[in-house]
Amino acid sequence: MMSKVTEVVEELVTPILTENGLELVDIEYAKEGRDWFLRVFIDKDNGIDIEECGIVSERLSEKLDEMDPIPHNYFLEVSSPGAERPLKKEKDYHKAIGKNVFVKTYEPIDGEKAFEGTLTKFDGQVVTIDVKVKTRTKTVEIPLEKVASARLAVTFS
């Protein structure tokens, strides 16, 4: 059910985003407590503003009302992914090269399942991160299929 909803929403929102020069970052459909939330995260190169979120929300809401793909009440939220945006698609990884990232894996790599460091390379198959371990830097190569989740990470120096 959940993946079906996100697929339908992706089909509905994509033309709206294309028309407005925006990109889809992620769609989340989740139950929190007794309420259902449909969250659509959008962005563009120099960031988005509240008006753009409003336009997308309004247009998407109309399309969802027409199609009615969700059988119960839910809250629709359209927003920016924020500073710690998820890395989902190949282009997200390519854009993140040189930036600080946080990656969790399905299974341990060198005894670890969580890595934070600078994304130095992505070849479509392997994510390469330079991780600082005390005073030295260790290069970790993570096969893409072992990545459970990845996102940009904000660092405070």
PDB file of all heavy atoms in Angstrom, residues 12-45:
ATOM      1  N   LEU A  12       1.882  12.148 -10.030  1.00  0.00           N
ATOM      2  CA  LEU A  12       1.071  13.367  -9.989  1.00  0.00           C
ATOM      3  C   LEU A  12       1.920  14.627  -9.805  1.00  0.00           C
ATOM      4  O   LEU A  12       1.647  15.660 -10.405  1.00  0.00           O
ATOM      5  CB  LEU A  12       0.038  13.290  -8.859  1.00  0.00           C
ATOM      6  CG  LEU A  12      -1.060  12.235  -8.995  1.00  0.00           C
ATOM      7  CD1 LEU A  12      -1.928  12.209  -7.740  1.00  0.00           C
ATOM      8  CD2 LEU A  12      -1.920  12.486 -10.221  1.00  0.00           C
ATOM      9  N   VAL A  13       2.956  14.542  -8.963  1.00  0.00           N
ATOM     10  CA  VAL A  13       3.727  15.742  -8.613  1.00  0.00           C
ATOM     11  C   VAL A  13       4.808  16.082  -9.647  1.00  0.00           C
ATOM     12  O   VAL A  13       5.137  17.246  -9.818  1.00  0.00           O
ATOM     13  CB  VAL A  13       4.317  15.628  -7.186  1.00  0.00           C
ATOM     14  CG1 VAL A  13       5.575  14.768  -7.154  1.00  0.00           C
ATOM     15  CG2 VAL A  13       4.602  17.011  -6.606  1.00  0.00           C
ATOM     16  N   THR A  14       5.332  15.096 -10.353  1.00  0.00           N
ATOM     17  CA  THR A  14       6.436  15.331 -11.294  1.00  0.00           C
ATOM     18  C   THR A  14       6.142  16.423 -12.330  1.00  0.00           C
ATOM     19  O   THR A  14       6.945  17.340 -12.481  1.00  0.00           O
ATOM     20  CB  THR A  14       6.909  14.007 -11.928  1.00  0.00           C
ATOM     21  OG1 THR A  14       7.353  13.153 -10.864  1.00  0.00           O
ATOM     22  CG2 THR A  14       8.059  14.226 -12.895  1.00  0.00           C
ATOM     23  N   PRO A  15       4.985  16.381 -13.037  1.00  0.00           N
ATOM     24  CA  PRO A  15       4.727  17.461 -14.011  1.00  0.00           C
ATOM     25  C   PRO A  15       4.629  18.843 -13.360  1.00  0.00           C
ATOM     26  O   PRO A  15       5.069  19.835 -13.939  1.00  0.00           O
ATOM     27  CB  PRO A  15       3.395  17.078 -14.654  1.00  0.00           C
ATOM     28  CG  PRO A  15       3.010  15.747 -14.129  1.00  0.00           C
ATOM     29  CD  PRO A  15       3.954  15.356 -13.048  1.00  0.00           C
ATOM     30  N   ILE A  16       4.084  18.911 -12.154  1.00  0.00           N
ATOM     31  CA  ILE A  16       3.961  20.188 -11.439  1.00  0.00           C
ATOM     32  C   ILE A  16       5.367  20.737 -11.142  1.00  0.00           C
ATOM     33  O   ILE A  16       5.645  21.920 -11.345  1.00  0.00           O
ATOM     34  CB  ILE A  16       3.187  20.011 -10.102  1.00  0.00           C
ATOM     35  CG1 ILE A  16       1.760  19.496 -10.364  1.00  0.00           C
ATOM     36  CG2 ILE A  16       3.161  21.314  -9.311  1.00  0.00           C
ATOM     37  CD1 ILE A  16       1.021  19.015  -9.119  1.00  0.00           C
ATOM     38  N   LEU A  17       6.248  19.854 -10.685  1.00  0.00           N
ATOM     39  CA  LEU A  17       7.621  20.265 -10.351  1.00  0.00           C
ATOM     40  C   LEU A  17       8.384  20.686 -11.602  1.00  0.00           C
ATOM     41  O   LEU A  17       9.052  21.719 -11.606  1.00  0.00           O
ATOM     42  CB  LEU A  17       8.352  19.131  -9.632  1.00  0.00           C
ATOM     43  CG  LEU A  17       7.771  18.718  -8.279  1.00  0.00           C
ATOM     44  CD1 LEU A  17       8.528  17.528  -7.716  1.00  0.00           C
ATOM     45  CD2 LEU A  17       7.787  19.874  -7.293  1.00  0.00           C
ATOM     46  N   THR A  18       8.265  19.894 -12.664  1.00  0.00           N
ATOM     47  CA  THR A  18       8.958  20.186 -13.920  1.00  0.00           C
ATOM     48  C   THR A  18       8.565  21.564 -14.428  1.00  0.00           C
ATOM     49  O   THR A  18       9.407  22.375 -14.801  1.00  0.00           O
ATOM     50  CB  THR A  18       8.630  19.099 -14.972  1.00  0.00           C
ATOM     51  OG1 THR A  18       8.998  17.825 -14.424  1.00  0.00           O
ATOM     52  CG2 THR A  18       9.399  19.321 -16.263  1.00  0.00           C
ATOM     53  N   GLU A  19       7.263  21.836 -14.402  1.00  0.00           N
ATOM     54  CA  GLU A  19       6.716  23.109 -14.854  1.00  0.00           C
ATOM     55  C   GLU A  19       7.281  24.292 -14.049  1.00  0.00           C
ATOM     56  O   GLU A  19       7.432  25.387 -14.559  1.00  0.00           O
ATOM     57  CB  GLU A  19       5.204  23.029 -14.633  1.00  0.00           C
ATOM     58  CG  GLU A  19       4.368  23.990 -15.401  1.00  0.00           C
ATOM     59  CD  GLU A  19       2.890  23.705 -15.104  1.00  0.00           C
ATOM     60  OE1 GLU A  19       2.410  22.615 -15.491  1.00  0.00           O
ATOM     61  OE2 GLU A  19       2.259  24.555 -14.472  1.00  0.00           O
ATOM     62  N   ASN A  20       7.590  24.057 -12.790  1.00  0.00           N
ATOM     63  CA  ASN A  20       8.075  25.123 -11.905  1.00  0.00           C
ATOM     64  C   ASN A  20       9.594  25.103 -11.703  1.00  0.00           C
ATOM     65  O   ASN A  20      10.114  25.818 -10.844  1.00  0.00           O
ATOM     66  CB  ASN A  20       7.353  25.048 -10.558  1.00  0.00           C
ATOM     67  CG  ASN A  20       5.901  25.481 -10.672  1.00  0.00           C
ATOM     68  OD1 ASN A  20       5.605  26.660 -10.747  1.00  0.00           O
ATOM     69  ND2 ASN A  20       4.988  24.512 -10.731  1.00  0.00           N
ATOM     70  N   GLY A  21      10.306  24.247 -12.469  1.00  0.00           N
ATOM     71  CA  GLY A  21      11.767  24.180 -12.374  1.00  0.00           C
ATOM     72  C   GLY A  21      12.260  23.617 -11.049  1.00  0.00           C
ATOM     73  O   GLY A  21      13.323  23.984 -10.564  1.00  0.00           O
ATOM     74  N   LEU A  22      11.470  22.712 -10.465  1.00  0.00           N
ATOM     75  CA  LEU A  22      11.825  22.122  -9.170  1.00  0.00           C
ATOM     76  C   LEU A  22      12.124  20.639  -9.333  1.00  0.00           C
ATOM     77  O   LEU A  22      11.760  20.031 -10.328  1.00  0.00           O
ATOM     78  CB  LEU A  22      10.655  22.304  -8.189  1.00  0.00           C
ATOM     79  CG  LEU A  22      10.202  23.751  -7.955  1.00  0.00           C
ATOM     80  CD1 LEU A  22       8.873  23.788  -7.228  1.00  0.00           C
ATOM     81  CD2 LEU A  22      11.252  24.518  -7.189  1.00  0.00           C
ATOM     82  N   GLU A  23      12.776  20.052  -8.322  1.00  0.00           N
ATOM     83  CA  GLU A  23      13.054  18.626  -8.384  1.00  0.00           C
ATOM     84  C   GLU A  23      12.479  17.912  -7.174  1.00  0.00           C
ATOM     85  O   GLU A  23      12.363  18.481  -6.090  1.00  0.00           O
ATOM     86  CB  GLU A  23      14.561  18.347  -8.491  1.00  0.00           C
ATOM     87  CG  GLU A  23      15.323  18.657  -7.226  1.00  0.00           C
ATOM     88  CD  GLU A  23      16.747  18.136  -7.231  1.00  0.00           C
ATOM     89  OE1 GLU A  23      16.950  16.918  -7.345  1.00  0.00           O
ATOM     90  OE2 GLU A  23      17.656  18.965  -7.076  1.00  0.00           O
ATOM     91  N   LEU A  24      12.094  16.667  -7.385  1.00  0.00           N
ATOM     92  CA  LEU A  24      11.584  15.830  -6.312  1.00  0.00           C
ATOM     93  C   LEU A  24      12.772  15.199  -5.592  1.00  0.00           C
ATOM     94  O   LEU A  24      13.623  14.577  -6.213  1.00  0.00           O
ATOM     95  CB  LEU A  24      10.682  14.733  -6.889  1.00  0.00           C
ATOM     96  CG  LEU A  24      10.105  13.745  -5.880  1.00  0.00           C
ATOM     97  CD1 LEU A  24       9.175  14.454  -4.896  1.00  0.00           C
ATOM     98  CD2 LEU A  24       9.339  12.653  -6.611  1.00  0.00           C
ATOM     99  N   VAL A  25      12.827  15.368  -4.282  1.00  0.00           N
ATOM    100  CA  VAL A  25      13.903  14.768  -3.497  1.00  0.00           C
ATOM    101  C   VAL A  25      13.426  13.455  -2.890  1.00  0.00           C
ATOM    102  O   VAL A  25      14.105  12.444  -2.965  1.00  0.00           O
ATOM    103  CB  VAL A  25      14.382  15.730  -2.373  1.00  0.00           C
ATOM    104  CG1 VAL A  25      15.416  15.059  -1.493  1.00  0.00           C
ATOM    105  CG2 VAL A  25      14.943  17.006  -2.974  1.00  0.00           C
ATOM    106  N   ASP A  26      12.219  13.471  -2.322  1.00  0.00           N
ATOM    107  CA  ASP A  26      11.723  12.274  -1.649  1.00  0.00           C
ATOM    108  C   ASP A  26      10.224  12.397  -1.398  1.00  0.00           C
ATOM    109  O   ASP A  26       9.688  13.506  -1.341  1.00  0.00           O
ATOM    110  CB  ASP A  26      12.456  12.110  -0.310  1.00  0.00           C
ATOM    111  CG  ASP A  26      12.405  10.686   0.245  1.00  0.00           C
ATOM    112  OD1 ASP A  26      11.929   9.776  -0.468  1.00  0.00           O
ATOM    113  OD2 ASP A  26      12.845  10.486   1.384  1.00  0.00           O
ATOM    114  N   ILE A  27       9.572  11.244  -1.240  1.00  0.00           N
ATOM    115  CA  ILE A  27       8.170  11.198  -0.829  1.00  0.00           C
ATOM    116  C   ILE A  27       8.091  10.230   0.332  1.00  0.00           C
ATOM    117  O   ILE A  27       8.633   9.127   0.270  1.00  0.00           O
ATOM    118  CB  ILE A  27       7.251  10.701  -1.969  1.00  0.00           C
ATOM    119  CG1 ILE A  27       7.291  11.667  -3.150  1.00  0.00           C
ATOM    120  CG2 ILE A  27       5.811  10.547  -1.457  1.00  0.00           C
ATOM    121  CD1 ILE A  27       6.553  11.170  -4.376  1.00  0.00           C
ATOM    122  N   GLU A  28       7.419  10.657   1.383  1.00  0.00           N
ATOM    123  CA  GLU A  28       7.292   9.838   2.579  1.00  0.00           C
ATOM    124  C   GLU A  28       5.800   9.726   2.904  1.00  0.00           C
ATOM    125  O   GLU A  28       5.097  10.732   2.952  1.00  0.00           O
ATOM    126  CB  GLU A  28       8.001  10.606   3.694  1.00  0.00           C
ATOM    127  CG  GLU A  28       8.445   9.819   4.865  1.00  0.00           C
ATOM    128  CD  GLU A  28       9.220  10.728   5.825  1.00  0.00           C
ATOM    129  OE1 GLU A  28       8.562  11.401   6.645  1.00  0.00           O
ATOM    130  OE2 GLU A  28      10.455  10.766   5.725  1.00  0.00           O
ATOM    131  N   TYR A  29       5.325   8.509   3.099  1.00  0.00           N
ATOM    132  CA  TYR A  29       3.936   8.299   3.489  1.00  0.00           C
ATOM    133  C   TYR A  29       3.987   7.476   4.758  1.00  0.00           C
ATOM    134  O   TYR A  29       4.407   6.325   4.732  1.00  0.00           O
ATOM    135  CB  TYR A  29       3.199   7.578   2.354  1.00  0.00           C
ATOM    136  CG  TYR A  29       1.759   7.277   2.648  1.00  0.00           C
ATOM    137  CD1 TYR A  29       0.862   8.301   2.951  1.00  0.00           C
ATOM    138  CD2 TYR A  29       1.288   5.975   2.620  1.00  0.00           C
ATOM    139  CE1 TYR A  29      -0.470   8.022   3.213  1.00  0.00           C
ATOM    140  CE2 TYR A  29      -0.042   5.695   2.875  1.00  0.00           C
ATOM    141  CZ  TYR A  29      -0.909   6.716   3.180  1.00  0.00           C
ATOM    142  OH  TYR A  29      -2.225   6.441   3.445  1.00  0.00           O
ATOM    143  N   ALA A  30       3.615   8.071   5.885  1.00  0.00           N
ATOM    144  CA  ALA A  30       3.827   7.390   7.158  1.00  0.00           C
ATOM    145  C   ALA A  30       2.717   7.677   8.158  1.00  0.00           C
ATOM    146  O   ALA A  30       2.109   8.741   8.140  1.00  0.00           O
ATOM    147  CB  ALA A  30       5.160   7.838   7.753  1.00  0.00           C
ATOM    148  N   LYS A  31       2.509   6.713   9.042  1.00  0.00           N
ATOM    149  CA  LYS A  31       1.538   6.886  10.108  1.00  0.00           C
ATOM    150  C   LYS A  31       2.302   7.272  11.367  1.00  0.00           C
ATOM    151  O   LYS A  31       3.286   6.625  11.729  1.00  0.00           O
ATOM    152  CB  LYS A  31       0.766   5.577  10.338  1.00  0.00           C
ATOM    153  CG  LYS A  31      -0.384   5.744  11.310  1.00  0.00           C
ATOM    154  CD  LYS A  31      -1.241   4.510  11.385  1.00  0.00           C
ATOM    155  CE  LYS A  31      -2.459   4.829  12.256  1.00  0.00           C
ATOM    156  NZ  LYS A  31      -3.345   3.701  12.392  1.00  0.00           N
ATOM    157  N   GLU A  32       1.870   8.357  11.995  1.00  0.00           N
ATOM    158  CA  GLU A  32       2.485   8.798  13.244  1.00  0.00           C
ATOM    159  C   GLU A  32       1.364   8.960  14.244  1.00  0.00           C
ATOM    160  O   GLU A  32       0.502   9.823  14.082  1.00  0.00           O
ATOM    161  CB  GLU A  32       3.239  10.109  13.023  1.00  0.00           C
ATOM    162  CG  GLU A  32       4.435   9.926  12.103  1.00  0.00           C
ATOM    163  CD  GLU A  32       5.157  11.218  11.782  1.00  0.00           C
ATOM    164  OE1 GLU A  32       4.851  12.255  12.398  1.00  0.00           O
ATOM    165  OE2 GLU A  32       6.025  11.180  10.891  1.00  0.00           O
ATOM    166  N   GLY A  33       1.356   8.112  15.248  1.00  0.00           N
ATOM    167  CA  GLY A  33       0.235   8.101  16.186  1.00  0.00           C
ATOM    168  C   GLY A  33      -0.997   7.643  15.429  1.00  0.00           C
ATOM    169  O   GLY A  33      -0.963   6.635  14.736  1.00  0.00           O
ATOM    170  N   ARG A  34      -2.075   8.428  15.514  1.00  0.00           N
ATOM    171  CA  ARG A  34      -3.293   8.050  14.799  1.00  0.00           C
ATOM    172  C   ARG A  34      -3.382   8.710  13.430  1.00  0.00           C
ATOM    173  O   ARG A  34      -4.311   8.453  12.675  1.00  0.00           O
ATOM    174  CB  ARG A  34      -4.515   8.442  15.624  1.00  0.00           C
ATOM    175  CG  ARG A  34      -4.648   7.589  16.885  1.00  0.00           C
ATOM    176  CD  ARG A  34      -5.953   7.860  17.571  1.00  0.00           C
ATOM    177  NE  ARG A  34      -6.136   9.298  17.801  1.00  0.00           N
ATOM    178  CZ  ARG A  34      -6.889   9.796  18.750  1.00  0.00           C
ATOM    179  NH1 ARG A  34      -7.558   9.008  19.542  1.00  0.00           N
ATOM    180  NH2 ARG A  34      -7.003  11.107  18.903  1.00  0.00           N
ATOM    181  N   ASP A  35      -2.449   9.585  13.120  1.00  0.00           N
ATOM    182  CA  ASP A  35      -2.527  10.363  11.884  1.00  0.00           C
ATOM    183  C   ASP A  35      -1.589   9.853  10.796  1.00  0.00           C
ATOM    184  O   ASP A  35      -0.503   9.378  11.076  1.00  0.00           O
ATOM    185  CB  ASP A  35      -2.183  11.830  12.172  1.00  0.00           C
ATOM    186  CG  ASP A  35      -3.175  12.476  13.139  1.00  0.00           C
ATOM    187  OD1 ASP A  35      -4.387  12.217  13.023  1.00  0.00           O
ATOM    188  OD2 ASP A  35      -2.723  13.222  14.028  1.00  0.00           O
ATOM    189  N   TRP A  36      -2.051  10.009   9.555  1.00  0.00           N
ATOM    190  CA  TRP A  36      -1.237   9.686   8.387  1.00  0.00           C
ATOM    191  C   TRP A  36      -0.680  10.981   7.807  1.00  0.00           C
ATOM    192  O   TRP A  36      -1.376  11.991   7.763  1.00  0.00           O
ATOM    193  CB  TRP A  36      -2.075   8.981   7.326  1.00  0.00           C
ATOM    194  CG  TRP A  36      -2.317   7.541   7.651  1.00  0.00           C
ATOM    195  CD1 TRP A  36      -3.351   7.027   8.373  1.00  0.00           C
ATOM    196  CD2 TRP A  36      -1.496   6.444   7.278  1.00  0.00           C
ATOM    197  NE1 TRP A  36      -3.217   5.659   8.472  1.00  0.00           N
ATOM    198  CE2 TRP A  36      -2.097   5.271   7.807  1.00  0.00           C
ATOM    199  CE3 TRP A  36      -0.311   6.315   6.548  1.00  0.00           C
ATOM    200  CZ2 TRP A  36      -1.555   4.011   7.623  1.00  0.00           C
ATOM    201  CZ3 TRP A  36       0.217   5.058   6.366  1.00  0.00           C
ATOM    202  CH2 TRP A  36      -0.393   3.915   6.905  1.00  0.00           C
ATOM    203  N   PHE A  37       0.574  10.925   7.361  1.00  0.00           N
ATOM    204  CA  PHE A  37       1.221  12.087   6.759  1.00  0.00           C
ATOM    205  C   PHE A  37       1.765  11.711   5.390  1.00  0.00           C
ATOM    206  O   PHE A  37       2.393  10.665   5.232  1.00  0.00           O
ATOM    207  CB  PHE A  37       2.398  12.576   7.622  1.00  0.00           C
ATOM    208  CG  PHE A  37       1.947  13.203   8.906  1.00  0.00           C
ATOM    209  CD1 PHE A  37       1.718  12.427  10.027  1.00  0.00           C
ATOM    210  CD2 PHE A  37       1.749  14.576   8.983  1.00  0.00           C
ATOM    211  CE1 PHE A  37       1.288  13.007  11.217  1.00  0.00           C
ATOM    212  CE2 PHE A  37       1.330  15.161  10.169  1.00  0.00           C
ATOM    213  CZ  PHE A  37       1.095  14.376  11.291  1.00  0.00           C
ATOM    214  N   LEU A  38       1.512  12.580   4.432  1.00  0.00           N
ATOM    215  CA  LEU A  38       2.100  12.442   3.106  1.00  0.00           C
ATOM    216  C   LEU A  38       3.039  13.630   2.971  1.00  0.00           C
ATOM    217  O   LEU A  38       2.596  14.776   2.938  1.00  0.00           O
ATOM    218  CB  LEU A  38       1.012  12.478   2.022  1.00  0.00           C
ATOM    219  CG  LEU A  38       1.522  12.453   0.579  1.00  0.00           C
ATOM    220  CD1 LEU A  38       2.330  11.183   0.304  1.00  0.00           C
ATOM    221  CD2 LEU A  38       0.346  12.549  -0.386  1.00  0.00           C
ATOM    222  N   ARG A  39       4.343  13.348   2.968  1.00  0.00           N
ATOM    223  CA  ARG A  39       5.344  14.414   2.909  1.00  0.00           C
ATOM    224  C   ARG A  39       6.058  14.356   1.566  1.00  0.00           C
ATOM    225  O   ARG A  39       6.549  13.308   1.162  1.00  0.00           O
ATOM    226  CB  ARG A  39       6.351  14.262   4.038  1.00  0.00           C
ATOM    227  CG  ARG A  39       5.732  14.454   5.404  1.00  0.00           C
ATOM    228  CD  ARG A  39       6.783  14.439   6.519  1.00  0.00           C
ATOM    229  NE  ARG A  39       6.154  14.698   7.795  1.00  0.00           N
ATOM    230  CZ  ARG A  39       5.870  13.752   8.689  1.00  0.00           C
ATOM    231  NH1 ARG A  39       6.174  12.487   8.443  1.00  0.00           N
ATOM    232  NH2 ARG A  39       5.285  14.077   9.828  1.00  0.00           N
ATOM    233  N   VAL A  40       6.100  15.504   0.918  1.00  0.00           N
ATOM    234  CA  VAL A  40       6.766  15.612  -0.371  1.00  0.00           C
ATOM    235  C   VAL A  40       7.899  16.625  -0.200  1.00  0.00           C
ATOM    236  O   VAL A  40       7.653  17.770   0.172  1.00  0.00           O
ATOM    237  CB  VAL A  40       5.770  16.069  -1.470  1.00  0.00           C
ATOM    238  CG1 VAL A  40       6.479  16.208  -2.803  1.00  0.00           C
ATOM    239  CG2 VAL A  40       4.599  15.092  -1.574  1.00  0.00           C
ATOM    240  N   PHE A  41       9.123  16.150  -0.412  1.00  0.00           N
ATOM    241  CA  PHE A  41      10.296  17.018  -0.263  1.00  0.00           C
ATOM    242  C   PHE A  41      10.774  17.451  -1.643  1.00  0.00           C
ATOM    243  O   PHE A  41      11.039  16.608  -2.498  1.00  0.00           O
ATOM    244  CB  PHE A  41      11.420  16.280   0.481  1.00  0.00           C
ATOM    245  CG  PHE A  41      11.026  15.891   1.882  1.00  0.00           C
ATOM    246  CD1 PHE A  41      10.551  14.613   2.151  1.00  0.00           C
ATOM    247  CD2 PHE A  41      11.118  16.801   2.926  1.00  0.00           C
ATOM    248  CE1 PHE A  41      10.177  14.254   3.442  1.00  0.00           C
ATOM    249  CE2 PHE A  41      10.750  16.455   4.212  1.00  0.00           C
ATOM    250  CZ  PHE A  41      10.272  15.173   4.471  1.00  0.00           C
ATOM    251  N   ILE A  42      10.865  18.772  -1.829  1.00  0.00           N
ATOM    252  CA  ILE A  42      11.244  19.319  -3.132  1.00  0.00           C
ATOM    253  C   ILE A  42      12.409  20.284  -2.961  1.00  0.00           C
ATOM    254  O   ILE A  42      12.664  20.766  -1.855  1.00  0.00           O
ATOM    255  CB  ILE A  42      10.050  20.036  -3.812  1.00  0.00           C
ATOM    256  CG1 ILE A  42       9.542  21.200  -2.947  1.00  0.00           C
ATOM    257  CG2 ILE A  42       8.930  19.034  -4.091  1.00  0.00           C
ATOM    258  CD1 ILE A  42       8.445  22.037  -3.594  1.00  0.00           C
ATOM    259  N   ASP A  43      13.109  20.561  -4.065  1.00  0.00           N
ATOM    260  CA  ASP A  43      14.257  21.457  -3.986  1.00  0.00           C
ATOM    261  C   ASP A  43      14.587  21.976  -5.373  1.00  0.00           C
ATOM    262  O   ASP A  43      14.016  21.544  -6.372  1.00  0.00           O
ATOM    263  CB  ASP A  43      15.471  20.709  -3.411  1.00  0.00           C
ATOM    264  CG  ASP A  43      16.408  21.613  -2.632  1.00  0.00           C
ATOM    265  OD1 ASP A  43      16.185  22.841  -2.584  1.00  0.00           O
ATOM    266  OD2 ASP A  43      17.382  21.088  -2.061  1.00  0.00           O
ATOM    267  N   LYS A  44      15.522  22.902  -5.434  1.00  0.00           N
ATOM    268  CA  LYS A  44      16.167  23.329  -6.681  1.00  0.00           C
ATOM    269  C   LYS A  44      17.548  23.820  -6.279  1.00  0.00           C
ATOM    270  O   LYS A  44      17.836  23.962  -5.087  1.00  0.00           O
ATOM    271  CB  LYS A  44      15.333  24.379  -7.421  1.00  0.00           C
ATOM    272  CG  LYS A  44      15.217  25.712  -6.738  1.00  0.00           C
ATOM    273  CD  LYS A  44      14.437  26.695  -7.608  1.00  0.00           C
ATOM    274  CE  LYS A  44      14.504  28.062  -6.974  1.00  0.00           C
ATOM    275  NZ  LYS A  44      13.258  28.764  -6.934  1.00  0.00           N
ATOM    276  N   ASP A  45      18.397  24.064  -7.267  1.00  0.00           N
ATOM    277  CA  ASP A  45      19.799  24.374  -6.982  1.00  0.00           C
ATOM    278  C   ASP A  45      20.034  25.445  -5.927  1.00  0.00           C
ATOM    279  O   ASP A  45      20.846  25.267  -5.050  1.00  0.00           O
ATOM    280  CB  ASP A  45      20.557  24.722  -8.269  1.00  0.00           C
ATOM    281  CG  ASP A  45      20.867  23.463  -9.070  1.00  0.00           C
ATOM    282  OD1 ASP A  45      20.769  22.356  -8.504  1.00  0.00           O
ATOM    283  OD2 ASP A  45      21.185  23.591 -10.256  1.00  0.00           O
TER     284      ASP A  45
END
